[in-house]
């Protein structure tokens, strides 16, 4: 029996393998979450210097997603391969650098574990097939977008646009349960929905209530889910965002005039809708019939 036959006939093997792959992808996502905003900032600085006709200044070191090697932020110790095993190495090192004893943030193993659990849940829910590969890509991209927006209030186009096109191509190829027509309508409706809210809020208050990245992310979710599930995504993200935002204001976590990123709530609602959206809608409609 080949590996593909095993995965197609054994849900346990599929879930287990996807969990391990999810751990490895989660480790890579930690790199993306930390480095991509810095790479974007370097690109913006170079563009600004070019527009102002200033001489370009090459970066002090070659910096991208693969170079330089990961290192301790406290002492610069380069992380060895056996110190970079997802979750396991952090536990073995007790959350400290092996060279200087500086603390390693617990968010790194949490991102790895969350990515693995979400991936395994998707494998258990959808089973073996091409749609699972597409959904895994969506899950990983949404985790990265949520964390980057949480840290920087940025939703990089370099992640959002590929995710949008994969959703549309999956619908075009017949892999997605969403038709191409519904996917295109979902992308358009998702963008226009938040664009309308943005301008209504700006006209009423003179302030910007959200960024254009939020429009693009909801458009992307519309391409994956279809226009029919967009109300559910908006409702889930708004309710959770209002609750969390209220708690942060009440506890002093943020100031009243401080912006709160909406991307993590959109991404979380999108993941829920991707896995259980239709079941949630069907359950609600069934309850409304009584």
């Amino acid at each position: 029996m080949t590996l593909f036959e095993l995965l197609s006939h054994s849900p346990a093997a599929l879930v287990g393998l996807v969990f391990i792959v999810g751990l490895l992808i989660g480790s890579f996502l930690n790199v993306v979450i930390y480095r991509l905003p810095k790479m974007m900032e370097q690109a913006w600085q170079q563009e600004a210097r070019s527009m102002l006709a200033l001489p370009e200044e090459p970066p002090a070191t070659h910096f991208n997603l693969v170079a330089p090697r990961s290192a301790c932020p406290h002492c610069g110790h380069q992380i060895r391969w056996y110190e970079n095993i997802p979750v396991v190495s952090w536990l073995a090192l007790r959350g400290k650098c092996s060279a200087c004893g500086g603390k390693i943030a617990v968010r790194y193993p949490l991102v790895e574990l969350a990515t693995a659990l979400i991936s395994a849940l998707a494998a258990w829910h959808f089973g073996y097939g091409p749609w699972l590969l597409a959904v895994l890509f969506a899950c990983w991209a949404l985790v990265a977008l949520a964390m980057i927006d949480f840290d920087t209030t940025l939703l990089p186009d370099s992640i959002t646009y590929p995710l949008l096109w994969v959703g549309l191509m999956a619908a075009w190829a017949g892999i997605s349960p969403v038709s191409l027509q519904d996917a295109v309508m979902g992308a358009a409706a998702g963008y226009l929905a938040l664009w309308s809210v943005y301008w209504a809020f700006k006209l009423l208050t003179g302030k910007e209530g959200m960024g254009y990245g939020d429009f693009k992310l909801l458009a992307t979710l519309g391409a994956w889910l279809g226009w029919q599930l967009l109300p559910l995504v908006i409702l889930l993200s708004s309710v959770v965002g209002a609750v969390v935002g209220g708690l942060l204001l009440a506890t002093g976590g943020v100031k009243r005039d401080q912006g709160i990123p909406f991307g993590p709530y959109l991404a979380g609602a999108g993941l829920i809708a991707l896995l259980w959206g239709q079941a949630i809608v069907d359950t609600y409609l069934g309850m409304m019939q009584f």
Side-chain angles (χ1 to χ4, degrees), residues 22 25-37 40 65 107 110-112 114-116 118-119 135-160 162-163 217 261 263-268 271:
I25 294 296
S27 180
F28 175 69
L29 290 184
N30 276 322
V31 176
V32 174
I33 292 164
Y34 175 75
R35 295 193 181 192
L36 184 56
M40 293 168 62
L65 295 181
R107 65 174 286 172
L110 288 180
V111 168
E112 294 165 352
T115 305
I118 293 170
S119 302
V135 168
L136 289 176
F137 174 76
C139 292
W140 300 337
L142 288 173
V143 169
L145 286 170
M147 294 304 299
I148 291 174
D149 195 32
F150 179 80
D151 287 341
T152 65
T153 67
L154 297 172
L155 288 168
D157 289 345
S158 56
I159 299 178
T160 305
L163 183 58
L217 179 53
Y265 309 119
L266 279 175
L271 284 173

Side-chain angles (χ1 to χ4, degrees), residues 12 27 78 130 144 153 162 178 199 215 229 232-233 264 281:
S27 180
Q78 289 191 340
T153 67
V178 177
W199 279 107
F215 313 165
L229 290 182
L232 176 65
V233 173
V281 171

Side-chain angles (χ1 to χ4, degrees), residues 31-50:
V31 176
V32 174
I33 292 164
Y34 175 75
R35 295 193 181 192
L36 184 56
K38 296 183 179 297
M39 293 165 55
M40 293 168 62
E41 183 178 354
Q42 286 185 353
W44 294 336
Q45 291 175 349
Q46 291 178 357
E47 290 175 3
R49 297 186 70 86
S50 177

Side-chain angles (χ1 to χ4, degrees), residues 5-21:
E5 291 174 337
L6 174 63
L7 295 177
S8 63
H9 291 89
S10 174
L14 176 64
V15 171
L17 177 61
V18 169
F19 181 85
I20 294 173
V21 172

Side-chain angles (χ1 to χ4, degrees), residues 1 7 10 24 27 31 55 67 78 83 104 107 113 137 141 147 153-154 162 168-169 174 179 190 221 239 255 258-259:
M1 179 180 292
L7 295 177
S10 174
L24 298 174
S27 180
V31 176
Q78 289 191 340
E83 296 174 332
I104 303 173
R107 65 174 286 172
L113 187 59
F137 174 76
M147 294 304 299
T153 67
L154 297 172
L168 291 174
M169 291 299 293
S179 69
L221 294 176
V239 170
K255 298 180 181 179
Q258 181 179 348

Side-chain angles (χ1 to χ4, degrees), residues 119-236:
S119 302
L121 184 59
W124 173 79
H125 185 80
F126 292 108
Y128 181 82
W131 178 234
L132 174 61
L133 294 177
V135 168
L136 289 176
F137 174 76
C139 292
W140 300 337
L142 288 173
V143 169
L145 286 170
M147 294 304 299
I148 291 174
D149 195 32
F150 179 80
D151 287 341
T152 65
T153 67
L154 297 172
L155 288 168
D157 289 345
S158 56
I159 299 178
T160 305
Y161 284 161
L163 183 58
L164 169 65
W165 285 110
V166 170
L168 291 174
M169 291 299 293
W172 171 79
I175 297 172
S176 169
V178 177
S179 69
L180 178 59
Q181 180 179 357
D182 288 344
V184 173
M185 290 178 62
Y191 189 93
L192 290 175
L194 290 188
W195 179 86
S196 301
V197 172
Y198 167 88
W199 279 107
F201 184 83
K202 187 172 184 178
L203 290 173
L204 289 173
T205 66
K207 300 178 180 179
E208 296 183 356
M210 61 182 65
Y212 277 69
D214 297 320
F215 313 165
K216 299 171 189 176
L217 179 53
L218 188 59
T220 299
L221 294 176
W224 281 84
L225 302 169
W227 62 269
Q228 297 90 338
L229 290 182
L230 283 178
L232 176 65
V233 173
I234 295 173
L235 177 63
L236 288 174

